[in-house]
Amino acid sequence: MIQTPYLLFLGDAPDMLAAKVAIGIRDWRPDNAVGQFRMDGCKADLGLTDMSLAEAKAAGAKTLVIGVANRGGVISQAWKKVLVEALEEGFDLASGLHNLLRDEEDLAAVARATGRTLHDVRVPSVKFPIANGEKRTGKRCLAVGTDCSVGKMYTAMAMDAEMRQRGMKSTFRATGQTGILITGDGIPLDAVVADFMAGSVEWLSPDNDPDHWDLLEGQGSLFHVSYSGVTMALIHGGQPDALILCHEPTREHMRGLPGYTPPSLETLRDTALPLARVANPECEVIAISVNTQHMDEAEARAYCAETAARMGLPTTDPYRFGAGALVDALAAQ
Amino acid sequence: MIQTPYLLFLGDAPDMLAAKVAIGIRDWRPDNAVGQFRMDGCKADLGLTDMSLAEAKAAGAKTLVIGVANRGGVISQAWKKVLVEALEEGFDLASGLHNLLRDEEDLAAVARATGRTLHDVRVPSVKFPIANGEKRTGKRCLAVGTDCSVGKMYTAMAMDAEMRQRGMKSTFRATGQTGILITGDGIPLDAVVADFMAGSVEWLSPDNDPDHWDLLEGQGSLFHVSYSGVTMALIHGGQPDALILCHEPTREHMRGLPGYTPPSLETLRDTALPLARVANPECEVIAISVNTQHMDEAEARAYCAETAARMGLPTTDPYRFGAGALVDALAAQ
């Protein structure tokens, strides 16, 4: 568990795209961010207060989060001066980069000397059990996609925000590094050893109140041959009560797999639901979330309406039109 | 890759059951075993020549394989004297135990000093790629089960033996520690990090002759919630041309999961085949392998005949009746 609130480190980000993690924190957990730290030449700006380390410390920040991705996931030498100083000022550090903070000798040495913690959220920090398949109390919702990167995390985040606003009991459960940094907690499922994948999801989503919903962050796709095993473990370890189908209609082939065509929403439904019912016979597909970023608004509305009629399920783009329709469907479960 | 042939170390095995790995080597790769090494009190006997380390060395043995499982997977102190002596005599050591040879300080030190290799086959020794899903040449057969431990490895081993006898081109591809020790090569799939599971299977089964069959060792079951992700990765990384359905008809619940009922062979077929066709549209279910160990011979024959008629597929128990019918089905592909 990463201590909040954060100071968001944007380093020398070449553009806003590189600051994806920081943007996610600002958008989804604004209370977690007291301000932003930018180095000379930084081209990203979240619109938060620019703070020095001392100012952020005075404002209550506990952890400096690396909210920027370098090409290659490297921890740049240009950042080191700030990171070392942050440790010495009493901040923990958190990063989702491929290269680990703990593998940088200088950072590791200063962290030891100052008693601070280095959080590398790509690496599991827990010894997970093997899944036991026992029914847990409380309810669970999982977004499954026709492909990777179709908006599964966004869908769960937007539903969680809407549910909190309505006073419903919900928790977003992060299963990837961005989600972990945003919320301060979760499991890096793609880095868990095969035998323990489903068990790590059970661990992430324990017994809860009967009217509480865990919104599990989806990963991969049953139809993406590189990562389908991770998706399968999430479906069985998560034992969802509700599935939401996620789709990006303009994609011509599976992400990174030129020879593979994305399945239809019908095929996704007919594949995912029987598999989910192995772990939870009560599971239902309740709604469809469409990523319409490559359509204009009229196209997007027409696509959603046509899909809703064809599939007989509430259908929306939560980014464009809000997550209300998805939460209505969940509340009706 | 483990150097063959082996001397099979049976230690102080309390019974034959504890020598499962050694029995597998003797049965499936008899040329890999020059003899057995038994300590005082050993209750297992493979019927191989009892040899001292020096005798085995003279007979050409390169590796001492720990062919016995202790309760808890421990490397017993009583074994250490022999293991250290083996290293000093020039043997490598190989083990599939949970506790690793490399974590035993004395063994690690002697291995370093003597330049010998410690093979812990539960731990991946390769940095695997992420799966790219590209079509590979050659053919692949995968056994999928209604549950774990229904005879998937045995089925593949028996088919491989039958195919060699017929002069067909085949390779058994081990995906678990027993298979790796038997053949000297393979991947410990359940110990691979999630993101690389399917990639490790692609790595295991590369391009081959058009008429060559890889017999991939199955793992887990799509219906076993603890391990289904591993099975999924094997189906997509393996891109099988042929599936064989494996079943143990008397099992009342899924192994280790009292609340879960095994699926029917029909459900297994209808679930596994569409998923396999994501990676290989040409895939077919070609035969059924039944584990009839809890039936008498008349029952077993009746069950196979009834199943063959119902499913329209060749059906046999390869342990009891030979793998001929399964290989006939493969040859007809």
Side-chain angles (χ1 to χ4, degrees):
Chain A
M1 193 127 183
I2 306 170
Q3 287 211 57
T4 55
Y6 306 148
L7 175 61
L8 302 182
F9 177 77
L10 303 183
D12 47 2
D15 52 35
M16 277 298 274
L17 262 182
K20 180 180 144 194
V21 166
I23 293 169
I25 295 170
R26 179 200 62 186
D27 289 353
W28 296 114
R29 291 289 184 274
D31 294 349
N32 279 359
V34 302
Q36 64 185 13
F37 185 104
R38 301 194 298 158
M39 290 168 53
D40 286 345
C42 182
K43 299 284 198 310
D45 183 356
L46 302 181
L48 301 176
T49 311
D50 283 300
M51 287 186 180
S52 68
L53 294 171
E55 287 164 345
K57 192 76 195 166
K62 302 276 199 298
T63 303
L64 183 82
V65 171
I66 298 183
V68 56
N70 261 348
R71 252 179 296 269
V74 178
I75 296 160
S76 120
Q77 205 52 45
W79 298 355
K80 281 287 185 66
K81 186 165 167 286
V82 182
L83 302 184
V84 166
E85 204 182 320
L87 288 167
E88 283 170 350
E89 292 279 339
F91 289 90
D92 292 340
L93 301 182
S95 159
L97 299 175
H98 260 296
N99 292 37
L100 304 184
L101 296 171
R102 70 184 68 167
D103 290 343
E104 303 291 317
E105 278 183 37
D106 42 2
L107 297 181
V110 178
R112 267 195 309 276
T114 56
R116 306 315 313 166
T117 303
L118 303 176
H119 295 282
D120 288 301
V121 303
R122 272 185 193 265
V123 184
S125 55
V126 172
K127 197 171 154 27
F128 297 114
I130 287 184
N132 63 29
E134 286 171 19
K135 177 75 183 155
R136 278 120 59 210
T137 53
K139 293 187 163 191
R140 286 154 195 89
C141 175
L142 175 67
V144 292
T146 50
D147 192 2
C148 299
S149 309
V150 291
K152 297 186 299 296
M153 186 182 86
Y154 191 98
T155 298
M157 281 287 195
M159 291 178 69
D160 179 46
E162 172 78 13
M163 290 169 80
R164 287 171 182 228
Q165 207 160 27
R166 295 192 191 183
M168 295 171 71
K169 293 184 195 169
S170 83
T171 309
F172 174 86
R173 299 292 187 182
T175 61
Q177 62 263 14
T178 305
I180 296 172
L181 286 173
I182 292 175
T183 60
D185 209 358
I187 55 166
L189 185 56
D190 60 10
V192 172
V193 164
D195 247 2
F196 304 99
M197 293 186 299
S200 74
V201 180
E202 292 187 348
W203 177 92
L204 177 69
S205 176
D207 282 333
N208 215 318
D209 296 344
D211 58 344
H212 177 279
W213 282 94
D214 269 345
L215 296 164
L216 301 167
E217 181 189 350
Q219 292 294 337
S221 163
L222 288 170
F223 296 86
H224 195 294
V225 296
S226 310
Y227 308 116
S228 53
V230 181
T231 312
M232 185 75 260
L234 197 44
I235 291 173
H236 280 168
Q239 51 183 232
D241 301 273
L243 294 178
I244 294 190
L245 310 181
C246 293
H247 189 47
E248 204 281 69
T250 69
R251 203 163 289 182
E252 286 174 4
H253 63 74
M254 298 291 286
R255 190 176 164 90
L257 302 175
Y260 288 80
T261 308
S264 65
L265 282 163
E266 285 86 345
T267 301
L268 174 61
R269 175 195 64 201
D270 296 344
T271 305
L273 186 59
L275 288 169
R277 286 183 171 166
V278 170
N280 184 352
E282 309 299 315
C283 186
E284 297 287 351
V285 174
I286 62 154
I288 297 170
S289 174
V290 185
N291 178 339
T292 64
Q293 65 176 318
H294 298 301
M295 299 172 156
D296 67 28
E297 182 161 337
E299 279 178 305
R301 288 198 186 276
Y303 184 87
C304 287
E306 182 260 306
T307 303
R310 195 181 88 230
M311 301 287 293
L313 288 167
T315 303
T316 193
D317 179 340
Y319 185 83
R320 203 161 200 163
F321 307 124
L326 304 178
V327 173
D328 290 346
L330 206 66
Q333 267 304 92
Chain B
M1 193 127 184
I2 306 168
Q3 289 212 58
T4 54
Y6 306 148
L7 174 61
L8 302 182
F9 177 76
L10 303 183
D12 47 2
D15 51 37
M16 277 299 274
L17 262 184
K20 181 182 143 192
V21 166
I23 293 169
I25 296 169
R26 178 200 64 187
D27 288 352
W28 296 114
R29 291 290 182 275
D31 293 349
N32 279 359
V34 303
Q36 64 187 13
F37 186 104
R38 302 195 296 159
M39 291 168 52
D40 285 347
C42 181
K43 301 284 199 308
D45 183 355
L46 302 182
L48 301 175
T49 312
D50 284 298
M51 288 187 179
S52 67
L53 294 172
E55 287 164 345
K57 191 79 197 162
K62 301 276 197 297
T63 303
L64 182 82
V65 170
I66 299 183
V68 56
N70 259 350
R71 249 178 299 270
V74 179
I75 297 160
S76 119
Q77 205 51 44
W79 299 355
K80 281 287 185 64
K81 186 164 169 287
V82 181
L83 301 183
V84 166
E85 204 182 320
L87 288 168
E88 283 169 349
E89 292 279 339
F91 289 91
D92 292 338
L93 302 183
S95 159
L97 298 177
H98 260 295
N99 291 38
L100 305 183
L101 296 170
R102 70 184 67 167
D103 290 343
E104 303 290 316
E105 277 183 37
D106 43 1
L107 296 181
V110 177
R112 268 195 308 276
T114 56
R116 305 317 313 168
T117 302
L118 303 177
H119 296 280
D120 288 301
V121 302
R122 272 184 192 265
V123 183
S125 54
V126 173
K127 197 171 153 28
F128 298 113
I130 286 185
N132 62 28
E134 284 170 21
K135 177 75 183 157
R136 283 132 38 218
T137 53
K139 294 186 163 192
R140 286 154 195 90
C141 175
L142 174 66
V144 291
T146 49
D147 192 3
C148 298
S149 308
V150 291
K152 296 186 300 295
M153 183 182 90
Y154 191 98
T155 297
M157 282 286 194
M159 290 178 69
D160 179 47
E162 172 78 15
M163 290 170 80
R164 288 171 182 228
Q165 206 160 28
R166 294 191 191 182
M168 296 171 71
K169 294 184 193 168
S170 81
T171 309
F172 174 86
R173 300 290 187 184
T175 60
Q177 62 261 15
T178 305
I180 296 172
L181 286 172
I182 291 174
T183 61
D185 210 356
I187 54 166
L189 185 55
D190 61 9
V192 173
V193 165
D195 246 3
F196 305 99
M197 292 186 298
S200 74
V201 180
E202 291 187 348
W203 177 93
L204 177 70
S205 175
D207 281 334
N208 216 317
D209 298 344
D211 58 343
H212 177 278
W213 283 93
D214 269 344
L215 297 163
L216 300 167
E217 181 189 351
Q219 292 293 338
S221 163
L222 288 170
F223 296 87
H224 195 294
V225 296
S226 310
Y227 308 116
S228 53
V230 181
T231 313
M232 186 74 261
L234 198 45
I235 290 174
H236 281 169
Q239 50 184 232
D241 301 272
L243 293 178
I244 294 189
L245 309 181
C246 294
H247 189 48
E248 203 282 69
T250 69
R251 203 162 288 182
E252 287 174 4
H253 63 74
M254 298 292 285
R255 192 177 163 90
L257 302 176
Y260 289 79
T261 309
S264 66
L265 282 163
E266 285 87 344
T267 300
L268 173 61
R269 174 194 65 201
D270 296 344
T271 304
L273 186 59
L275 288 169
R277 285 182 172 167
V278 169
N280 185 350
E282 310 297 314
C283 186
E284 298 287 350
V285 174
I286 61 154
I288 296 169
S289 175
V290 185
N291 177 340
T292 64
Q293 65 177 318
H294 298 299
M295 300 172 155
D296 68 29
E297 183 162 337
E299 279 177 307
R301 289 197 185 277
Y303 184 88
C304 288
E306 182 260 308
T307 303
R310 195 180 88 230
M311 301 287 294
L313 289 167
T315 303
T316 192
D317 179 339
Y319 185 83
R320 202 161 200 162
F321 306 124
L326 304 178
V327 172
D328 290 345
L330 205 66
Q333 266 304 91

